[in-house]
Amino acid sequence: MTVSVKERVEQVYREESRRILATLIRLLGDFDLAEEALHEAFFIAVERWQRDGVPDNPRAWLVSTGRFKAIDVLRRRARFAASRPLLIAQLEELEQADWSDEDVEDDRLRLIFTCCHPALAADAQVPLTLREVCDLTTEEIARAFLSAPATIAQRIVRAKAKIRDAKIPYQVPTLAELPERLDSVLRVIYLVFNEGYSASIGAQVTREDLTREAIRLGRLLMELLPEPEVMGLLALMLLHESRRPARTSSSGELILLDDQDRTLWDSQMIAEGSALVERALGTRRFGPYCLQAAIAAVHAEAPSVEQTDWTQIVGLYDVLLRAVPSPVIELNRAAALSKRDGPLAGLALVEAILERGELLDYHLAHSARAEFCRQLGRVEQARQAYERALELTRQEPERRFIRGRLRGLR
């Protein structure tokens, strides 16, 4: 079937737009101007490619077109602005700047480090990166942070202004600067992967474009700084990604871990991830990502749910909770504990979390409570918990799964 030019432009936008934007931000030094130039370039592409054909290197064509459109914008501004000398200087610098398509691969990593610069407010670094590098919507980011979209939007606007006004450099830090910048970058990549592995909203359980991009960034970071926590994060992503083909049915329905066909798991990813876990733990300088990867490795290497070493998993969660106290980690530990000690033990932990007022708006907490109640035969409590989970869930396959559980209670 012949692909139309419009469909080809849309495909390039899906696959390349964030790389193109990252390069335009590097060239232009201005987030808003780069975004405007990006959209202008794609608009022009629909007409030009229809007439002249799709170029051999669409990404390079779009970067060049976007750059020239930005130069036109700056020329118009320079005619009327009071700051004309500054704009003229910016124009001259932009017109003389050299760039190569070979640089583009590293531009997203440069952009991540710019967005995670220590001069920016800590609570703005990750939202800005998720928005600009990964094209997550403000609503998706707010959901990842259990925060209001308006709050996230304000943080992003302030962070962009800070980068512009403080002239924060668009570059990967020196080796001496890397360690202090690493935590925010790891957290960004982790949140990108999570949004891809379990999409917060939409018609699909997973978003392969985000998981693939997070793993690519993780590999880039490994080349730059092969620290234990970088190894741990890359291992964690590989081990989770190995299970993605088994997480949905052929019709896109959600399949829980207990019911997954483990023959569909990617053995090469499991082997690579497990080797990275061993390497990281061997340094004895491991942290939360290594511990989470170790938990994922125990799951990945088990032939079945029944043969999983739940005692080891609970023990690893205990260590993880001491390192990073978190109600979400407590919730995950409750699920593991229920496998070892029964649903009543899991339910007690989940109810304790909810009684503290934590995770009240987190659908997975109510889903876990509902599941434990269902297993214990507490039908009315299970129904109430599933209904609350359904109110909070925005991903369609999860909503269908919960509705199926509710029908089963009847």
Side-chain angles (χ1 to χ4, degrees):
M1 188 176 76
T2 305
V3 176
S4 71
V5 168
K6 186 177 179 183
E7 288 172 330
R8 179 68 176 125
V9 172
E10 289 172 351
Q11 179 190 8
V12 173
Y13 186 88
R14 285 193 304 272
E15 296 175 357
E16 301 283 2
S17 63
R18 304 330 281 179
R19 287 190 183 91
I20 294 165
L21 178 64
T23 300
L24 287 170
I25 292 172
R26 170 168 62 86
L27 293 171
L28 305 175
D30 185 307
F31 280 82
D32 295 332
L33 183 60
E35 287 175 2
E36 184 181 338
L38 172 77
H39 291 115
E40 281 284 336
F42 274 97
F43 181 77
I44 293 168
V46 174
E47 179 189 345
R48 295 271 181 88
W49 295 3
Q50 189 80 45
R51 186 189 67 201
D52 304 334
V54 178
D56 294 336
N57 189 336
R59 183 170 64 194
W61 188 97
L62 287 158
V63 170
S64 291
T65 302
R67 177 170 170 244
F68 286 125
K69 291 304 294 183
I71 289 171
D72 289 343
V73 169
L74 290 174
R75 281 186 181 131
R76 287 196 298 273
R77 289 181 188 172
R79 288 196 197 104
F80 306 106
S83 56
R84 192 166 182 272
L86 291 175
L87 282 170
I88 290 173
Q90 185 182 356
L91 260 172
E92 290 174 350
E93 184 179 343
L94 181 55
E95 288 173 331
Q96 294 168 10
D98 291 326
W99 73 279
S100 165
D101 191 48
E102 295 175 2
D103 297 331
V104 172
E105 281 302 318
D106 292 334
D107 275 338
R108 299 185 90 177
L109 195 56
R110 290 189 188 100
L111 182 54
I112 286 179
F113 277 104
T114 301
C115 294
C116 295
H117 196 279
L120 300 178
D123 63 0
Q125 293 174 7
V126 179
L128 177 66
T129 312
L130 293 174
R131 179 72 196 94
E132 298 302 325
V133 179
C134 304
D135 202 24
L136 268 66
T137 66
T138 306
E139 288 74 20
E140 288 169 334
I141 300 166
R143 189 169 180 83
F145 279 89
L146 304 179
S147 187
T151 302
I152 296 297
Q154 288 172 356
R155 291 176 189 171
I156 291 171
V157 169
R158 285 197 296 265
K160 284 183 182 179
K162 178 74 173 179
I163 290 172
R164 182 189 65 239
D165 298 341
K167 293 184 170 51
I168 289 174
Y170 183 90
Q171 62 190 31
V172 174
T174 65
L175 285 174
E177 295 170 321
L178 267 173
E180 66 174 345
R181 304 273 293 279
L182 191 58
D183 284 349
S184 292
V185 172
L186 290 174
R187 192 154 64 106
V188 166
I189 296 173
Y190 182 54
L191 285 171
V192 172
F193 181 83
N194 277 351
E195 182 60 32
Y197 186 70
S198 184
S200 62
I201 189 170
Q204 296 180 320
V205 173
T206 62
R207 289 180 58 181
E208 188 181 356
D209 57 329
L210 292 182
T211 57
R212 188 173 60 241
E213 178 62 21
I215 290 171
R216 191 188 75 81
L217 292 172
R219 292 191 189 282
L220 271 176
L221 200 56
M222 260 288 286
E223 291 175 16
L224 192 67
L225 192 71
E227 287 290 310
E229 279 293 81
V230 179
M231 295 178 208
L233 177 57
L234 181 55
L236 176 63
M237 294 190 294
L238 289 167
L239 290 164
H240 280 321
E241 182 69 0
S242 72
R243 304 203 299 257
R244 187 174 53 77
R247 293 187 65 234
T248 55
S249 68
S250 57
S251 59
E253 300 305 313
L254 178 66
I255 302 175
L256 298 185
L257 178 65
D258 290 11
D259 303 317
Q260 287 175 16
D261 179 357
R262 298 187 177 215
T263 63
L264 297 176
W265 291 4
D266 189 316
S267 58
Q268 287 187 326
M269 281 191 179
I270 291 172
E272 184 183 359
S274 297
L276 282 167
V277 170
E278 289 184 20
R279 184 177 162 193
L281 294 179
T283 67
R284 300 198 175 276
R285 293 188 292 115
F286 52 84
Y289 293 112
C290 293
L291 289 167
Q292 290 177 79
I295 292 167
V298 177
H299 280 297
E301 292 166 2
S304 67
V305 173
E306 294 74 23
Q307 293 171 277
T308 302
D309 189 342
W310 293 108
T311 297
Q312 185 182 2
I313 289 177
V314 171
L316 286 167
Y317 272 123
D318 289 338
V319 178
L320 180 60
L321 269 172
R322 287 197 292 273
V324 189
S326 158
V328 174
I329 294 173
E330 283 186 69
L331 181 66
N332 293 335
R333 180 182 178 276
L337 192 71
S338 75
K339 294 293 187 184
R340 191 189 75 177
D341 298 344
L344 193 60
L347 179 61
L349 289 181
V350 173
E351 290 189 332
I353 295 169
L354 293 170
E355 284 169 9
R356 295 200 307 261
E358 296 178 308
L359 303 186
L360 291 175
D361 294 328
Y362 189 47
H363 71 283
L364 293 179
H366 297 281
S367 290
R369 181 172 181 270
E371 186 63 21
F372 296 144
C373 288
R374 185 186 70 84
Q375 292 172 20
L376 291 165
R378 301 180 183 181
V379 175
E380 187 54 35
Q381 287 178 285
R383 180 179 291 108
Q384 290 174 5
Y386 276 132
E387 286 174 349
R388 179 58 180 149
L390 189 60
E391 289 174 8
L392 295 168
T393 302
R394 299 176 67 193
Q395 186 203 93
E396 281 307 314
E398 284 188 321
R399 291 179 62 82
R400 290 196 296 271
F401 180 86
I402 294 170
R403 289 193 194 103
R405 283 289 203 245
L406 280 166
R407 286 194 296 272
L409 291 176
R410 299 184 191 133

